Amino acid sequence: MRLSGAEITIQCLQEEGVEYVFGYPGGAVLYIYDALFNQDKVKHILVRHEQAAVHAADGYARANGRPGVALVTSGPGVTNAVTGIATAYMDSIPLVIISGQVPVPAIGLDAFQEVDTVGITRPCVKHNFLVKNVADLASTIKKAFYLAASGRPGPVLVDIPKDVSQQIAEFEYPKTLSLRSYNPVTKGHSGQIRKAVQMLMEARRPMIYVGGGAVLGEASDALTHMVRQLGYPCTNTLMGLGAYPGTDPQFLGMLGMHGTYEANLAMQHSDVLLAVGARFDDRVIGNPQHFFTEERRIIHIDIDPSSISKRVRVDVPIVGNISDVLEEMQKLIDASTVQADPVALKAWWTQIGEWRARDCLRYDRANQTVIKPQSVVEKLYEVTRGEAIVTSDVGQHQMWAAQYYKFDKPRRWINSGGLGTMGFGLPAAMGAQLAYPEATVACVTGEASIQMCIQELSTCKQYHLPVKIINLNNRYLGMVRQWQQILHGNRYSESYMDALPDFVKLAESYGHVGMRIDRPADVEPALREAFALKDRVVFMDFQTDQTENVFPMVKAGQGLTEMLLGAEDL
Amino acid sequence: MRHILSLLLENEAGALSRVSGLFSARGYNIESLTVAPTEDPTLSRMTIVTRGSDEIIEQITKQLNKLVDVVKVFDLNEGKHIERELMLVKVRAEGKDREEIKRTADIFRGRIVDVTERTYIIELTGPRDKLDAFLEAIDSTHILETVRTGASGIGRGEWILRV
Ligand SMILES: Cc1ncc(C[n+]2csc(CCOP(=O)(O)OP(=O)(O)O)c2C)c(N)n1
């Protein structure tokens, strides 16, 4: 079959089973848009800004595990997309980004809307390609999908010059591909796995620490089964929420900078730590020198060898596919004749019980005059029966959503953990809604973050994406204000949000339902009313306590156990 | 510690910038980097001389292996290997200095590859220290230009880096 490069591109997407492409047209991709026009298998979602195209593709990928696809034009289309690409890269999300480029003969001549796309995106993609020959196009797109989704996933970009999209070539979608330089490991080393199980069985103060890798590796079931059988305590990182069920009694809550008292202390005082698809990030373990102790041995399972012993030396590294490795471990555990010392384990749980009794997530629940942001998340959890897909932006609201919404399943909590990108929440919610049209999708955001991609309310209207926006409006860049209060002597430099729009009217002007909620008593009824409007976007503007802070808090650079637990610690 | 890393990578546009970009983005140090195609024109061989603690070298190797264009990475410090560098030095060579400089070049097994009335160009290969020693051995006021390729390395005997 002889096709143009543009037609080949769309054919490849069809072959890969792509449902949606999130994009924005421009000169360099006009042939590709023309090819889109002539078919109806791949649906195009016209966003209002390329950053949102990538975030939406990302939200789609996080919700259902399949690579998200974005299509942008050259020059500003690409530079607008970079924030989205970097966001996906930091959280290892599989994406294929197709970008237009100026025609091959014009490359390097500072042509109109030319940027060095491969150069600009190189540090924030898993890999990228510039396709200079139409004959290479199909195999390159095939490679892009394979690279994006295999091993440690990540965004892959394919840059297609305009003349290449116009040229004709024989099309056949390659059935196989060979990449001699890329062979991600799957099976873990059996000797190491045996060592790990033995170590786990000898533990007296075991702890299991689970990151986003367990979500990406579809390891939640295997993990939950194993942890329950062992009876050990478990914590999830911000990226791992839902990998181990949030309502399980063995779950100690999220750990890290805003983790629970019990999770952070159990991390620090454990004698055997099993890390599953986590990377000992600075927001998770704080200061590595403080974290280090001779008394703790660490087992680390990860698909990416470079994540192991990067910030913390580990004793038993296991490189492999997490679910495969856990399965191997499970077999050995089932066959094991030794068991963890029940007396030691009981004493450990007693200790954890004492830490738990501090009730570190308590707040002024009885307050009837001002809405406490935490209470909105708690009510959201009740009203959606814990079954919503929740996306968030970045700031205090993100932490409250992570702390107070108990995720029992993976892929229901969608946030920008690594890059911390404000503006992520709403477009990510659109992607998640498209992935699961019947699901309840809520975006927990702040009045500052939402304004970074608010134009997407228009996209929601066009494609009938009934996401619910929970705006925790504290009239501040809350997280910035919190740091300024705690670390910069209450000097609130540029962290207020003045001249805010009337969000109700704004939502209405986009054709949506807007609600403003000022009183604690109205929180729950408003949420019930909003979620009953199944096919509408509802923008809920909650006027929340301006001075509320996120606790517990470990100041940047400090040790995990050096937690501020409340206003009394300031 | 100083390490010599030897890489096979796809001979493709952009592969070099992926490697050098990795070093700058992660703050690793590069003492020298050489690269050229191999007998198999689809592959390039690169030698990188870098410095770092064992942990850093381990990270560098892992990060290099992660690059899709990198086919194989060896740390030549892990075994017996040969390291060579080529240097071209242009020196002022006049009057009685001409004889003296030629003698020094001979001692270092250097070759004079260009001669004018007032200058020599000396070609010298060897491990880095030998080249350094040569530069120290001749009066620094004579040196007009030096060009060094940076080290190339290869494992000894049956230690073979190929696909
Ligand atoms: C694009 C971007 N710019 C700046 C920041 C730094 N930052 C982190 S949280 C925050 C404040 C967010 O305010 P808001 O969305 O109102 O949420 P709140 O913390 O008040 O809940 C800022 C500015 C960021 N994370 N992302």
Side-chain angles (χ1 to χ4, degrees), chain A residues 51 83 373 393-400 419-423 445-452 471-482 494-495 497 544 550:
Chain A
Q51 179 185 349
T83 299
D393 271 299
V394 177
Q396 292 181 315
H397 60 272
Q398 175 191 25
M399 292 301 128
W400 286 317
L419 198 68
T421 309
M422 290 169 69
T445 183
E447 78 292 341
S449 290
I450 191 68
Q451 291 188 79
M452 286 213 182
N471 189 32
L472 301 181
N473 186 344
N474 53 11
R475 284 80 74 210
Y476 270 114
L477 302 174
M479 190 55 97
V480 174
R481 189 203 52 72
Q482 173 167 349
E494 306 297 320
S495 56
M497 268 276 124
T544 59
V550 182

Side-chain angles (χ1 to χ4, degrees), chain B residues 87-92 120-122 135 142-148:
Chain B
M87 175 167 72
L88 298 172
V89 199
K90 189 182 287 177
V91 291
R92 182 67 70 215
Y120 284 157
I121 295 175
I122 303 161
L135 291 177
H142 291 323
I143 299 174
L144 300 173
E145 274 182 64
T146 62
V147 187
R148 299 173 68 150

